[in-house]
Amino acid sequence: MPLHSRLMFSCLVLGFASTAAAKDDLNWVDREAMNELPEVLQRPIPVWCGGIYYNPRVGPRAETSDTIITADQTSASEDGLIEMSGDVLIEQPGSRVVTNSALFDRSSGKFEVDTPLRLESNQFTFLADSMSGQTSSRQVSLGNARYSLFGPGAHGSAEYIDQVSNLTSVFNGTYTTCPPGSNGWRLSGEQILLDRDKGWGEARNVVLRVRDVPLFYLPWITFPIDDRRKSGLLFPTISTSDSGGLDFSQPIYLNLHPQMDATIAPRYVDGRGAGLETEFRYLTPYGQGQVSYGVLFQDREFDDQDRELAAWRHDGSIGRWGLHVDMNYVSDDFYFKDLDTGLQVSSQTHLPRVGELRYYGQTWQALGRLQAWQTIDPTLSDDQHPYRRLPQLQLTGRPHLLGPLRLLWLSDVTAFDRSDKDTSNNPTGVRMHAQPALSARLENNWGYVEPRARLYHTRYQLDDGGPSGSEPSLNTWGASLDAGMFFERSTNLFGRGYTQTLEPRVFVNKVAYEYQDDLPDFDAGELTFSYNTLFRENRYIGYDRIGDEEKIAVGLTSRFLRDDDGREQLRLRVGQGYYLDDRKVQLDGTGEDTADQTPAVADMRWNFGRDWYLYSEGQWDTSGGQRQRSTLRLGYNDRERRIFNLGFHDRPEDNLRQSEVAAIWPIHRNWRLIGRWMYDVENHRTQETLAGAEYRNCCWRVRLVSQRELYDDDGDGTLEPDSTVMLQIEMTGLGGFGGRVDSLLERSISGYRREYE
């Protein structure tokens, strides 16, 4: 008979999970069983797992609700003792107990079950030979038990389990995240604590067994049981290379604060010595950042010198103010070549050291910047090193004047300096630049026209003077007219509705010539020619050179926009510029450019499927009848498990022809292949190969990656091959996965991010 009562069997509700139509008595639900459930009850199963622990028949926990007790026979005494026998079911929303007999004392809140029982909730399942506890203290004890925890996907057994609120103590028990029937790995220990409030587990006097073989003894270990961070050992990275031999690092994760954590990784490189890599991350109301430091003490392959790497990155904002910091340091030019690192610091020719403070107003914006560089390419001479900006101050704005008329303001003051060790005799000093403009943009839904007039003024205060003295200056002017039209029509392709646009554009630009060869060149550069550069006022970047120009550029863009979601499916562009006069201002003292037209340029981007894209660009010298540039990229990224990149780049004028294939691709639900091949078609040689495999299931995750690339070992311009092999092993649920393998993949395979994992 059913017995209804407002008994708070809190100890039976303690935040656990449910029973399903499962093939395992601990509620393991495989894919076949999950697919048989009604769609509303189905839950996702990770691709690499055969199932999950899940119980759809137990709903979410309720803080207050009636307890329903059903049994074949029940009796209650005057002193509040309730005896139940025969198919006993004790049930509340979020939990249930099934057994053959039970005893409950209403006056004290104590209960006792001395027959085999099944305790279920929407967070766990327990099978035990006996159970006792007390409702008011939210305490329950189970004897000779087996259990499953749905959150971490873990299960195990115990001689005795003590449950108090959300803290579970397992005595003389086991713990593993491997699926039922697998003996991949398990922890066996005297005491295992599982704290669901904090999201971590702790074990003492533990033996880690792999395939039932004792691997090693641990007096103490902690591990996560959900997605929250927890201090403890991460899994090591093992690699070997031609230049360094065996390389072993053991990361230790420290969860210092909800907004701060750190990783410390002792490291040993065979033949070189011991070292340390550290990384500290923080999040504050004013921004987020990370500080990294790595050291190898007394490198035996580098004259017993310490090798160091340091970096600090910060991005933050306060109101309309934004702060960006990117500071980097390495002790020598060959650090990245000799010592691969798991820190998020990328190898570059010039390591930036920059601090920026920006103000973002509705009309005006301001920038303050300190910038320097560390050049780590020994083949570059001093005069090829970039200048330092100490400091740079910039003000930009677009205030309304009258009707559509706007003032476009840009002013910049920069002090350029060089290292004390510089021997190039390149000039240093302060540059003041302003380029105000008046612009009036007239537009409606079918087109626009924007005339613009601009003045350019540059003045220098040089430390040691120059060909035009210590205070040379430049004054010139420019005017442009930019106009475009928008046409569109509805169309239907492959059974889908599209809006096709046709967008012709004309850009007329005039910049007056002014002699500039006697001016210093601190940061002038020339952009790589593309469709977008056709419509620039100044053909140079930086403010040391204002390129004279009389040009008419025409372009045509067509887009196919999907009617259902507005997504751009296809974009086609073609354009060319026509010069009315020669260009006298050139970089590096080269002669006038007498070409009467730019190369014709066309590009296409096709976004097909959900995650695929195809990009192609071609440039053609119409006067000389020669191809100048070709680019082709095919890419796929589902932001989960699959990445594919195929590319080809051809620049005949630079004798550059490169092809690239890169992918991370599953060939089975447990296996992914990793690869990259970059080939120098011009010189008929492989520049870089990356090959590896990853195996992953509920129990294990293993990566083995081999990289071979060409390096300038001695800084003399001669490229020599160097090979590296990296191995990472993770026992799922016992620690993180990352380090040097993830850093390598982020550098080598475009689109890969470790957070996708």
Side-chain angles (χ1 to χ4, degrees):
M1 58 175 284
L3 186 72
H4 297 275
S5 162
R6 297 196 64 85
L7 302 174
M8 293 306 298
F9 256 63
S10 306
C11 57
L12 305 179
V13 195
L14 300 173
F16 298 112
S18 29
T19 23
K23 294 186 176 181
D24 178 78
D25 55 0
L26 289 174
N27 289 317
W28 174 261
V29 182
D30 62 19
R31 295 182 182 277
E32 181 181 354
M34 186 68 74
N35 292 333
E36 292 174 355
L37 293 173
E39 186 174 352
V40 69
L41 294 178
Q42 293 182 14
R43 297 294 182 268
I45 297 176
V47 174
W48 50 85
C49 284
I52 59 174
Y53 287 105
Y54 171 55
N55 189 346
R57 289 193 300 226
V58 177
R61 169 183 170 180
E63 291 297 331
T64 59
S65 61
D66 288 340
T67 298
I68 300 176
I69 303 176
T70 304
D72 291 343
Q73 296 180 349
T74 61
S75 63
S77 64
E78 293 182 356
D79 57 2
L81 187 64
I82 301 174
E83 295 185 31
M84 297 157 280
S85 62
D87 293 332
V88 177
L89 173 63
I90 305 172
E91 191 169 22
Q92 279 187 334
S95 67
R96 53 189 278 166
V97 177
V98 179
T99 186
N100 285 325
S101 66
L103 188 65
F104 178 64
D105 189 337
R106 297 183 63 179
S107 60
S108 65
K110 294 182 179 179
F111 60 90
E112 184 174 337
V113 178
D114 56 7
T115 58
L117 63 103
R118 183 182 188 90
L119 169 60
E120 300 178 318
S121 80
N122 65 347
Q123 295 186 26
F124 71 75
T125 298
F126 282 103
L127 302 179
D129 288 347
S130 62
M131 179 176 71
S132 62
Q134 214 274 346
T135 57
S136 60
S137 64
R138 299 171 60 87
Q139 183 268 337
V140 62
S141 299
L142 300 124
N144 194 22
R146 293 190 300 123
Y147 67 91
S148 61
L149 305 179
F150 297 176
H155 67 98
S157 61
E159 181 179 315
Y160 177 72
I161 294 178
D162 187 30
Q163 175 79 33
V164 179
S165 188
N166 280 335
L167 179 64
T168 303
S169 300
V170 178
F171 297 93
N172 295 326
T174 63
Y175 177 91
T176 182
T177 60
C178 295
S182 170
N183 62 347
W185 68 268
R186 73 175 186 271
L187 295 177
S188 303
E190 290 183 0
Q191 184 180 21
I192 303 174
L193 300 178
L194 306 172
D195 191 330
R196 287 184 302 282
D197 285 336
K198 296 181 178 178
W200 58 270
E202 177 181 330
R204 300 182 183 278
N205 297 321
V206 172
V207 175
L208 175 62
R209 299 177 184 270
V210 177
R211 300 291 185 185
D212 290 330
V213 177
L215 191 61
F216 50 81
Y217 166 81
L218 296 170
W220 174 78
I221 186 175
T222 63
F223 50 90
I225 60 174
D226 58 22
D227 293 335
R228 282 174 288 180
R229 303 173 314 202
K230 175 67 181 73
S231 299
L233 293 178
L234 303 180
F235 278 83
T237 297
I238 304 172
S239 65
T240 181
S241 67
D242 293 342
S243 60
L246 181 67
D247 189 343
F248 176 86
S249 64
Q250 173 58 69
I252 303 169
Y253 178 76
L254 302 175
N255 186 26
L256 305 174
H257 184 271
Q259 281 79 44
M260 295 181 187
D261 64 8
T263 303
I264 301 174
R267 182 180 185 185
Y268 176 77
V269 184
D270 185 33
R272 292 185 178 273
L276 189 70
E277 290 186 341
T278 62
E279 192 166 77
F280 170 71
R281 301 186 301 177
Y282 60 89
L283 175 65
T284 74
Y286 310 111
Q288 61 183 1
Q290 64 183 41
V291 180
S292 306
Y293 176 73
V295 60
L296 186 71
F297 301 106
Q298 298 179 348
D299 186 351
R300 295 193 293 270
E301 295 289 331
F302 205 75
D303 296 331
D304 290 329
Q305 297 182 33
D306 291 347
R307 316 281 298 276
E308 294 178 289
L309 166 70
W312 175 35
R313 289 181 177 82
H314 177 89
D315 286 286
S317 61
I318 304 175
R320 294 183 178 272
W321 293 90
L323 176 64
H324 169 72
V325 178
D326 187 3
M327 303 290 292
N328 298 272
Y329 165 79
V330 291
S331 57
D332 58 87
D333 294 344
F334 300 99
Y335 186 97
F336 290 105
K337 188 271 173 190
D338 294 340
L339 303 170
D340 196 8
T341 178
L343 304 177
Q344 296 187 42
V345 182
S346 59
S347 174
Q348 305 172 39
T349 300
H350 307 290
L351 294 179
R353 299 172 180 175
V354 59
E356 293 180 351
L357 180 64
R358 293 180 180 267
Y359 172 77
Y360 300 94
Q362 293 183 347
T363 301
W364 295 95
Q365 297 81 43
L367 164 69
R369 174 186 289 153
L370 296 171
Q371 185 177 46
W373 307 86
Q374 181 182 3
T375 300
I376 57 174
D377 185 345
T379 65
L380 297 180
S381 60
D382 283 352
D383 62 352
Q384 294 176 294
H385 291 193
Y387 277 89
R388 300 185 296 188
R389 292 178 171 90
L390 303 173
Q392 178 183 8
L393 303 175
Q394 188 177 96
L395 178 67
T396 59
R398 295 173 57 89
H400 273 105
L401 297 180
L402 180 64
L405 187 65
R406 281 181 178 269
L407 170 66
L408 307 182
W409 179 267
L410 186 151
S411 58
D412 184 281
V413 179
T414 304
F416 291 95
D417 197 8
R418 302 188 72 83
S419 168
D420 295 337
K421 301 179 181 179
D422 183 86
T423 60
S424 64
N425 294 321
N426 284 345
T428 58
V430 177
R431 181 190 66 199
M432 294 159 284
H433 177 81
Q435 51 180 57
L438 292 176
S439 174
R441 185 178 178 93
L442 306 173
E443 62 181 335
N444 56 29
N445 57 2
W446 54 263
Y448 71 93
V449 60
E450 182 178 0
R452 181 178 298 177
R454 188 182 295 276
L455 296 176
Y456 298 93
H457 172 75
T458 308
R459 177 174 295 276
Y460 297 88
Q461 292 182 353
L462 303 179
D463 295 332
D464 299 321
S468 298
S470 60
E471 295 187 5
S473 63
L474 166 70
N475 294 284
T476 189
W477 62 272
S480 66
L481 179 67
D482 190 6
M485 300 184 72
F486 305 106
F487 303 96
E488 64 180 42
R489 65 166 186 160
S490 297
T491 186
N492 193 287
L493 297 174
F494 308 108
R496 190 171 208 159
Y498 289 90
T499 297
Q500 181 190 2
T501 71
L502 196 64
E503 306 168 28
R505 183 179 182 183
V506 177
F507 180 71
V508 182
N509 189 45
K510 162 73 176 180
V511 177
Y513 168 71
E514 188 72 23
Y515 182 76
Q516 301 170 41
D517 288 352
D518 59 346
L519 299 179
D521 182 0
F522 292 131
D523 62 356
E526 194 167 6
L527 288 169
T528 300
F529 180 72
S530 66
Y531 180 86
N532 292 328
T533 61
L534 287 172
F535 307 100
R536 282 181 54 90
E537 295 175 80
N538 185 11
R539 51 193 170 91
Y540 295 120
I541 57 174
Y543 307 129
D544 291 312
R545 295 293 182 268
I546 307 300
D548 61 312
E549 183 175 83
E550 292 186 36
K551 182 180 72 176
I552 300 175
V554 294
L556 182 64
T557 300
S558 182
R559 309 173 198 269
F560 288 80
L561 309 175
R562 299 198 313 211
D563 290 343
D564 52 359
D565 58 9
R567 183 186 180 195
E568 183 180 273
Q569 190 85 59
L570 177 65
R571 185 195 66 201
L572 304 168
R573 301 189 301 187
V574 61
Q576 190 171 14
Y578 301 91
Y579 295 110
L580 306 179
D581 200 356
D582 297 339
R583 277 76 60 214
K584 300 180 181 64
V585 178
Q586 299 294 323
L587 297 179
D588 303 325
T590 56
E592 296 181 7
D593 185 351
T594 60
D596 58 2
Q597 58 192 18
T598 70
V601 57
D603 64 24
M604 175 202 74
R605 183 179 175 100
W606 177 24
N607 302 304
F608 60 99
R610 190 181 70 172
D611 302 304
W612 286 93
Y613 78 91
L614 176 65
Y615 176 81
S616 177
E617 182 192 39
Q619 297 180 18
W620 186 262
D621 182 356
T622 54
S623 60
Q626 297 181 10
R627 176 176 47 84
Q628 288 204 335
R629 182 188 298 266
S630 300
T631 299
L632 179 67
R633 293 198 302 269
L634 175 66
Y636 176 87
N637 189 341
D638 66 358
R639 291 162 293 279
E640 291 181 358
R641 301 190 73 219
R642 297 172 176 85
I643 297 174
F644 175 78
N645 298 312
L646 175 65
F648 178 75
H649 311 280
D650 184 11
R651 299 204 302 266
E653 61 181 356
D654 298 327
N655 295 320
L656 177 63
R657 297 176 69 197
Q658 288 181 339
S659 62
E660 177 188 8
V661 181
I664 300 178
W665 203 265
I667 57 173
H668 181 268
R669 66 184 180 90
N670 300 115
W671 285 93
R672 288 199 303 178
L673 295 183
I674 302 169
R676 185 192 190 204
W677 179 42
M678 180 175 287
Y679 185 72
D680 184 349
V681 180
E682 187 70 26
N683 295 304
H684 306 287
R685 65 185 180 187
T686 296
Q687 288 185 306
E688 180 183 359
T689 57
L690 182 72
E694 176 188 280
Y695 177 80
R696 184 177 188 179
N697 61 16
C698 303
C699 195
W700 298 94
R701 188 175 176 194
V702 181
R703 274 186 190 156
L704 180 65
V705 177
S706 173
Q707 181 190 34
R708 182 184 183 274
E709 56 185 335
L710 298 179
Y711 264 114
D712 183 2
D713 192 24
D714 301 317
D716 59 2
T718 302
L719 298 179
E720 299 291 341
D722 183 73
S723 298
T724 302
V725 178
M726 297 184 183
L727 173 67
Q728 279 187 309
I729 301 174
E730 175 192 7
M731 297 173 190
T732 303
L734 284 189
F737 199 73
R740 294 206 297 276
V741 172
D742 269 318
S743 297
L744 172 63
L745 296 181
E746 286 183 329
R747 293 196 305 267
S748 301
I749 299 181
S750 177
Y752 176 83
R753 298 290 182 271
R754 66 184 72 197
E755 56 264 29
Y756 294 163
E757 300 298 322

